[in-house]
Amino acid sequence: MKNPLNLIAFDLGASNGRGILGRFDGEKIVMEELHRFENNYMTVNGVRYWDCLGLFHQLKQALVAFKETDCGQIHAFGIDTWGVDYGLLDKDGQLLGNPRAYRYAVDADMDNVWNVVSRNTLFERTGIASLNFNTVYQLYRRKLSDDTALANAETMLLMPDLLGYFLTGEKASEYTNVTTTMLYNPTSGDWDWETIDALRLPRKLFTKIDRAGQLRGRLLPELAEELGINRASFAAVGTHDTASAVAAIPGQGNFAFCSSGTWSLFGVETEQPIFSDLVRTANFSNEGTVQGGFRPLKNIMGLWLIQECRREWMAAGNRYSWNDIVDMARKAEPLRSIVDPDYGPFFAGGNMVEQIQDYCRKTKQPIPETVGQVARCIYESLALKYRWALERLEEIKGAKLDALNIVGGGIQNKLLNQMAADSIDRPVVTGPIEGAAIGNLLMQAVALGELKTIDEVRQVVRNSETVETYEPHHTQAWEDAYGRLLQYMT
């Protein structure tokens, strides 16, 4: 290839977003951050929303930033975000209010659906874990409340597809994010029409499903003119950020993956979904891969816990950097107090330090008081929950997993990486940091015909990114702490 392709990945998480330029020469990809921005839900009259028009503005700012690089034309762009959340459009294609944020969900939403379609039936149809924020539960809550937006909606688009629609006018739903909704049937390869009909959700809401690695239109002419750029191709990528991150894992052989950020998405890749009782009872999900397969994985409440604690410390006037917090955790007594990161009350956030202290009080453990003690409690608890997830995955696959590959922003915490290795007693390989972004970029290259297979994608990652390996130092103290975690989880 004579001239590098200019590809732009919009990678949005539940706390921040970024626009990243990738220059791909056929063998390596070099990335440059164009624009970074905050993304937080807001609460209005008791309902939690995403500011999707604000996000649309930020995407345009990234495109303006590209123009200033003087690199020529944009060959393609793609968008990935978190899963499950969506926007509703009316018959004229206009947005019917800001999308609701998944942290508005409550357990009663699940009970209401199960009164119509049982929990086991939902799993048998979709292979997805029952989590109160799944799209199926969100939509039925609105159905029961006679929500006017739902009643007037013509189309539902998941967040990355909604933002893509704003930029291109194209309406479609990409497979990897569709699988997170608990409204996709992997056996039929289509929306789960049985559940949709049973819940009396309008069929018209659900668009055609396309796959990562396909082109889906071009930038709208009026936007190209406004921004002063060419009408770049829009590529369907792994629009669920975890799918994009897993596509960029450079590992080979029999490994587990963890996409580490606000959530820790912990799993393996398979060609077919696994519907076993073990998968169901452990509340694992069969989410989609960019190559059209599946990722049996566990949603572990990841760095959300420490993010919430840091918000409290900052609000109290303590402007700790993430490195400050890690340094204080490193100096704290090891394995003094642990929690189950997936303890239900942690999900909604708020007063997280007090919630962790209450958990330790109820389980008759020493109460973490200092910043270092609280942070160490969270990091060690995550590392121990990784071991639990790894053991479940080995049972599911019926084979030993040799290593853990961690990608995403969470790998910048080297203390947690070493704790993970020590806990699971396996090597931990970390990298790349911008896993979702590089996976997004390289699936654009697939859509443009420059790459063909996931093996070629991962070879480019190996050519382009440096990884780091953490060797385990497993001790009896870790073994004893794991026994305590199992006791608290029962």
Side-chain angles (χ1 to χ4, degrees):
M1 190 181 300
K2 292 181 180 179
N3 296 311
L5 290 178
N6 293 321
L7 310 171
I8 294 181
F10 295 113
D11 174 32
L12 281 66
S15 57
N16 62 73
R18 61 204 65 76
I20 292 180
L21 169 63
R23 308 201 74 212
F24 178 53
D25 67 4
E27 295 184 0
K28 292 183 179 181
I29 190 161
V30 177
M31 295 190 293
E32 174 187 345
E33 185 175 294
L34 297 171
H35 182 54
R36 182 177 288 262
F37 49 92
E38 291 291 312
N39 178 36
N40 295 296
Y41 65 79
M42 57 195 71
T43 303
V44 181
N45 294 329
V47 182
R48 292 175 173 177
Y49 298 100
W50 299 110
D51 179 13
C52 72
L53 296 182
L55 294 176
F56 175 53
H57 172 73
Q58 297 293 352
L59 301 193
K60 292 201 298 182
Q61 294 302 110
L63 293 173
V64 170
F66 168 81
K67 189 171 63 171
E68 295 171 358
T69 65
D70 197 28
C71 288
Q73 293 197 336
I74 303 170
H75 294 92
F77 65 94
I79 305 171
D80 68 81
T81 76
W82 62 99
V84 307
D85 286 340
Y86 61 91
L88 298 172
L89 304 175
D90 68 12
K91 61 183 177 58
D92 298 317
Q94 298 300 317
L95 185 67
L96 288 162
N98 272 317
R100 293 183 177 185
Y102 64 86
R103 292 199 185 273
Y104 180 54
V106 294
D107 286 352
D109 299 339
M110 295 191 292
D111 294 330
N112 291 331
V113 169
W114 296 342
N115 287 334
V116 181
V117 182
S118 74
R119 178 176 185 170
N120 286 352
T121 299
L122 279 172
F123 178 79
E124 289 164 4
R125 290 176 181 171
T126 67
I128 295 297
S130 281
L131 301 167
N132 64 13
F133 51 75
N134 290 345
T135 316
V136 63
Y137 301 127
Q138 293 193 45
L139 285 172
Y140 195 56
R141 178 180 188 170
R142 299 177 80 156
K143 180 73 176 179
L144 290 180
S145 66
D146 295 321
D147 179 74
T148 54
L150 183 62
N152 288 294
E154 190 75 18
T155 308
M156 179 194 80
L157 292 176
L158 295 160
M159 285 298 292
D161 301 315
L162 179 67
L163 293 168
Y165 165 72
F166 291 162
L167 290 168
T168 67
E170 298 290 336
K171 299 175 186 175
S173 302
E174 189 275 323
Y175 164 74
T176 64
N177 220 319
V178 167
T179 62
T180 72
T181 64
M182 211 177 194
L183 285 167
Y184 177 80
N185 186 317
T187 304
S188 68
D190 199 357
W191 294 102
D192 177 15
W193 298 116
E194 283 186 273
T195 297
I196 288 166
D197 291 343
L199 298 176
R200 296 177 292 111
L201 299 172
R203 282 192 173 214
K204 64 182 179 181
L205 294 178
F206 303 94
T207 74
K208 68 177 182 180
I209 300 171
D210 63 8
R211 295 294 179 104
Q214 299 177 4
L215 294 178
R216 193 201 285 176
R218 307 179 79 86
L219 188 68
L220 287 166
E222 57 267 34
L223 280 174
E225 183 178 356
E226 174 192 342
L227 302 173
I229 58 176
N230 63 296
R231 292 193 63 201
S233 294
F234 177 46
V237 297
T239 59
H240 187 212
D241 51 8
T242 308
S244 278
V246 172
I249 286 176
Q252 295 173 292
N254 204 18
F255 63 86
F257 67 78
C258 177
S259 180
S260 175
T262 301
W263 290 87
S264 287
L265 292 309
F266 199 107
V268 291
E269 289 183 306
T270 58
E271 291 186 8
Q272 299 297 327
I274 301 175
F275 291 98
S276 68
D277 288 342
L278 178 58
V279 173
R280 178 177 55 80
T281 56
N283 220 26
F284 277 63
S285 279
N286 290 277
E287 295 180 357
T289 65
V290 297
Q291 59 268 41
F294 296 88
R295 291 176 285 115
L297 61 77
K298 179 70 174 177
N299 285 267
I300 298 172
M301 218 174 316
L303 294 172
W304 164 252
L305 278 70
I306 194 66
Q307 289 167 354
E308 283 292 282
C309 291
R310 183 173 181 254
R311 271 193 268 272
E312 290 180 43
W313 293 324
M314 297 279 278
N318 300 303
R319 308 200 67 79
Y320 301 128
S321 70
W322 288 117
N323 287 337
D324 293 336
I325 292 170
V326 169
D327 286 342
M328 287 185 274
R330 184 177 283 109
K331 295 170 184 173
E333 181 183 345
L335 300 168
R336 178 174 178 266
S337 310
I338 59 173
V339 301
D340 177 4
D342 294 316
Y343 178 58
F346 294 159
F347 171 77
N351 300 314
M352 188 62 76
V353 173
E354 183 179 337
Q355 287 196 61
I356 289 170
Q357 291 170 336
D358 285 346
Y359 184 104
C360 293
R361 191 174 293 111
K362 289 173 184 174
T363 50
K364 298 180 171 52
Q365 301 181 78
I367 310 301
E369 300 288 352
T370 67
V371 171
Q373 288 172 344
V374 171
R376 185 151 194 138
C377 169
I378 291 170
Y379 297 148
E380 289 175 336
S381 298
L382 270 177
L384 290 164
K385 195 64 182 273
Y386 289 175
R387 174 175 170 183
W388 178 88
L390 187 81
E391 290 182 355
R392 302 291 84 69
L393 286 169
E394 288 181 327
E395 290 181 69
I396 289 165
K397 287 200 75 174
K400 181 178 170 62
L401 295 165
D402 300 324
L404 171 63
N405 278 246
I406 308 180
V407 296
I411 69 171
Q412 296 171 92
N413 186 332
K414 295 180 182 294
L415 176 63
L416 177 56
N417 297 338
Q418 186 61 56
M419 287 176 172
D422 295 346
S423 173
I424 68 174
D425 199 18
R426 316 284 163 82
V428 166
V429 180
T430 62
I433 292 175
E434 296 286 3
I438 192 171
N440 178 326
L441 293 163
L442 292 176
M443 290 310 294
Q444 294 176 47
V446 172
L448 293 172
E450 301 297 334
L451 297 171
K452 292 182 174 59
T453 68
I454 190 66
D455 290 336
E456 290 181 4
V457 167
R458 287 175 172 158
Q459 185 57 54
V460 173
V461 177
R462 287 190 285 272
N463 295 344
S464 309
E465 295 287 320
T466 302
V467 300
E468 190 170 356
T469 300
Y470 295 79
E471 296 296 338
H473 305 293
H474 190 70
T475 63
Q476 186 60 44
W478 278 105
E479 202 65 32
D480 295 343
Y482 184 59
R484 287 159 54 201
L485 174 66
L486 295 178
Q487 179 184 343
Y488 301 149
M489 290 175 62
T490 57

